[in-house]
Amino acid sequence: MPNIPQNLKQAGLKTTLPRIKILEILKNNEVRHVSAEDVYKLLLESGDEIGLATVYRVLTDFENSNLVIRHNFEGGRSVFELNDQPEHDHMVCTECGHVFEFRDERMNERQKNLATNAGFSIADHSLYVYGTCDGIKDRGECDMPPRRDLDIIVKK
Amino acid sequence: MPNIPQNLKQAGLKTTLPRIKILEILKNNEVRHVSAEDVYKLLLESGDEIGLATVYRVLTDFENSNLVIRHNFEGGRSVFELNDQPEHDHMVCTECGHVFEFRDERMNERQKNLATNAGFSIADHSLYVYGTCDGIKDRGECDMPPRRDLDIIVKK
DNA sequence: AGCACTTATGAGAATCATTCTCAATAAAAT
DNA sequence: ATTTTATTGAGAATGATTCTCATAAGTGCT
Ligand SMILES: [Mn+2]
Ligand SMILES: [Mn+2]
Ligand SMILES: [Zn+2]
Ligand SMILES: [Zn+2]
């Protein structure tokens, strides 16, 4: 089991209670793509009184030390996820809010080639697909909580 | 030359002065990816006193009637562009702010297949690539204003 | 453990983009 | 021209996020 204080130290961050608690939440398998507000509420639920400003600060610190990745889905609020998966993209269901993760190696490659050929150095990229997960819903997979593993993997 | 009142009527929008002025700006070849604030300032520069709230409203109306497309690049502000180009994606230079447009038919297809196979109905998607345009800059293409035509087209 | 030094936290104020409210106005319909 | 209905403008309100600054907590060193 990964040692959280260890993780923080490695990331160059002091081991403080708020950071430990928040990293615990993010490592918890029950959640995956969470907003700052979500984290704040989860903390309250577990009896930890940590200010919202602190939650934002900690998440930003985590982002800067690459412990988490920040997403800007439509809707104006940032969403964070633990940076413990290979690079992947997201499909967001605009009906039920479920976020599906997928990975398409060939698409990544194509993106890189494209940029490189154009003389552009990629620092980052974001691909979000919005729609509804009807088909998946029909198969009873929609209302399940997001899974730890990528939902869809497209092989080369 | 496309008739602006015509365009508005077709879109089911009343022909009002603010709408005409704003559509004029968007159709003007000098700008392409603009924020509401940008539009507001351009209006002021040309002596039109149109409230910022109206600019936002009009742009949203335009979006709803598919006259424009709204982008949510990183940085928390929406950017709009006239919807007069085939579907395309964007590379945003985080140094100079230049936005390059590109189109990769195969990537689009792949996205669609991916989603379809997963039982997901795509309503929309956004692919933004962030980085720096060093190479392009070297070739003296970077600080030019965005062009009307897609910057980069990748053929099948 | 106790002390000093540095960094993080909390609460609330401040900021920023965007939306809302509502009275005044302008466009379309009759 | 008159009525009807949608739009505008100014400023207030909102919502997410950041900032400020006094207080508290972590870390290193006696
Ligand atoms: Mn993810
Ligand atoms: Mn574009
Ligand atoms: Zn769904
Ligand atoms: Zn550049």
Side-chain angles (χ1 to χ4, degrees):
Chain A
M1 30 237 69
N3 188 301
I4 286 184
Q6 210 72 39
N7 297 155
L8 291 172
K9 200 158 290 175
Q10 267 184 262
L13 297 172
K14 258 193 193 171
T15 307
T16 69
L17 210 96
R19 287 174 178 163
I20 292 173
K21 292 295 183 186
I22 292 174
L23 193 47
E24 263 174 10
I25 285 184
L26 293 171
K27 288 200 166 196
N28 167 31
N29 252 349
E30 301 308 305
V31 298
R32 178 110 200 129
H33 303 93
V34 281
S35 67
E37 190 78 33
D38 291 337
V39 172
Y40 178 64
K41 282 181 189 147
L42 288 168
L43 286 167
L44 286 186
E45 278 175 26
S46 51
D48 298 301
E49 303 257 326
I50 292 175
L52 182 55
T54 300
V55 173
Y56 273 103
R57 248 181 324 227
V58 168
L59 287 173
T60 303
D61 293 344
F62 282 5
E63 185 191 12
N64 291 334
S65 42
N66 290 313
L67 282 174
V68 308
I69 293 175
R70 179 198 300 255
H71 296 290
N72 298 293
F73 295 152
E74 276 179 4
R77 86 179 55 196
S78 291
V79 168
F80 303 82
E81 71 172 313
L82 195 59
N83 184 12
D84 64 348
Q85 294 284 347
E87 254 198 349
H88 59 272
D89 297 305
H90 299 85
M91 292 195 291
V92 182
C93 177
T94 49
E95 261 185 26
C96 71
H98 188 113
V99 177
F100 295 87
E101 305 185 303
F102 68 91
R103 181 174 167 73
D104 184 337
E105 202 42 67
R106 203 184 295 181
M107 200 141 71
N108 287 347
E109 255 175 43
R110 213 168 162 73
Q111 280 172 32
K112 288 201 178 89
N113 288 342
L114 187 70
T116 306
N117 291 340
F120 198 93
S121 355
I122 296 186
D124 196 11
H125 79 110
S126 73
L127 168 57
Y128 306 128
V129 178
Y130 301 94
T132 52
C133 60
D134 312 315
I136 305 176
K137 203 183 260 168
D138 291 348
R139 277 183 271 133
E141 293 172 34
C142 174
D143 290 319
M144 301 175 68
R147 280 173 276 157
R148 207 72 216 235
D149 331 298
L150 298 185
D151 289 289
I152 297 158
I153 296 182
V154 179
K155 283 152 232 107
K156 269 194 172 177
Chain B
M1 34 234 67
N3 189 301
I4 286 182
Q6 211 71 41
N7 297 154
L8 290 172
K9 200 159 291 176
Q10 268 183 260
L13 297 172
K14 260 192 192 170
T15 307
T16 70
L17 210 94
R19 286 173 178 165
I20 292 172
K21 292 295 183 186
I22 292 174
L23 192 46
E24 263 174 10
I25 286 184
L26 293 170
K27 287 198 167 196
N28 167 31
N29 251 349
E30 302 306 307
V31 297
R32 177 110 201 131
H33 303 93
V34 282
S35 66
E37 190 78 33
D38 290 337
V39 172
Y40 177 65
K41 282 181 188 148
L42 289 167
L43 287 167
L44 286 186
E45 278 174 26
S46 51
D48 298 301
E49 303 257 327
I50 292 174
L52 182 54
T54 302
V55 173
Y56 273 103
R57 249 182 323 227
V58 168
L59 287 173
T60 303
D61 291 345
F62 284 5
E63 185 192 12
N64 291 334
S65 42
N66 290 312
L67 281 173
V68 309
I69 293 174
R70 179 198 298 255
H71 296 291
N72 298 294
F73 295 152
E74 275 180 4
R77 86 179 56 197
S78 291
V79 168
F80 303 82
E81 71 172 313
L82 195 60
N83 184 12
D84 65 347
Q85 295 284 346
E87 254 198 350
H88 58 272
D89 297 305
H90 299 85
M91 292 194 292
V92 182
C93 177
T94 49
E95 262 185 24
C96 71
H98 188 114
V99 177
F100 296 86
E101 304 185 303
F102 67 91
R103 180 174 167 73
D104 184 336
E105 203 41 68
R106 202 182 299 177
M107 201 141 70
N108 287 348
E109 256 176 41
R110 212 167 162 76
Q111 280 171 31
K112 287 199 179 90
N113 287 343
L114 189 69
T116 305
N117 289 341
F120 198 93
S121 357
I122 296 186
D124 195 9
H125 79 110
S126 73
L127 168 57
Y128 305 129
V129 178
Y130 301 94
T132 52
C133 59
D134 312 314
I136 305 175
K137 202 182 260 166
D138 291 348
R139 278 182 271 133
E141 294 172 33
C142 172
D143 291 320
M144 302 175 68
R147 280 172 276 157
R148 206 73 216 230
D149 329 298
L150 298 186
D151 290 288
I152 297 156
I153 298 181
V154 179
K155 283 153 233 105
K156 269 196 172 173

